[in-house]
Amino acid sequence: MLIQQTSREAYESVNRGHNSLHDRLLELLLEDNYTCDELEILLDAKHQSMSAQIRKGVLDGDIEDSGEKRPTRSNRQAIVWTLRIGEEPKNGNGL
């Protein structure tokens, strides 16, 4: 599959080094539970980037739905995300 150079550059700009967007997301979820909207604000991230990182965390088994919902900036109810209880994140960075 051919990946556009601009797509590759965009990916690398948010996933570079030990302080990637995903790492920062996991660090925040170690402290508290957040909606995607709240994480977008805290990490100054676009919705598309943050929702993709949450999805990655869910698929990796690191993040799950807390069962709670909170309103977003647009006053819609959103899932509150949490780290899976009793498990270390599997991202390999020791978070």
Side-chain angles (χ1 to χ4, degrees), residues 65-80:
D65 182 336
S66 71
E68 298 177 47
K69 294 199 183 319
R70 285 201 285 258
T72 64
R73 290 172 280 183
S74 62
N75 211 30
R76 294 193 172 114
Q77 292 296 305
I79 294 170
V80 177

Side-chain angles (χ1 to χ4, degrees), residues 15-74:
N15 294 295
R16 187 173 283 150
H18 294 292
N19 198 22
S20 72
L21 182 58
H22 194 74
D23 289 345
R24 292 182 291 151
L25 162 66
L26 294 175
E27 288 170 1
L28 278 176
L29 289 175
L30 280 170
E31 299 170 12
D32 205 351
N33 301 335
Y34 296 99
T35 66
C36 184
D37 188 58
E38 293 164 342
L39 290 163
E40 291 165 25
I41 295 166
L42 291 167
L43 295 172
D44 191 30
K46 302 250 187 256
H47 175 73
Q48 292 85 346
S49 297
M50 189 53 54
S51 61
Q53 294 306 312
I54 291 169
R55 181 68 179 147
K56 178 187 181 325
V58 169
L59 292 174
D60 288 350
D62 295 332
I63 298 173
E64 66 185 358
D65 182 336
S66 71
E68 298 177 47
K69 294 199 183 319
R70 285 201 285 258
T72 64
R73 290 172 280 183
S74 62

Side-chain angles (χ1 to χ4, degrees), residues 1-8:
M1 173 166 69
L2 179 64
I3 299 173
Q4 295 291 328
Q5 183 63 30
T6 54
S7 296
R8 184 182 309 275

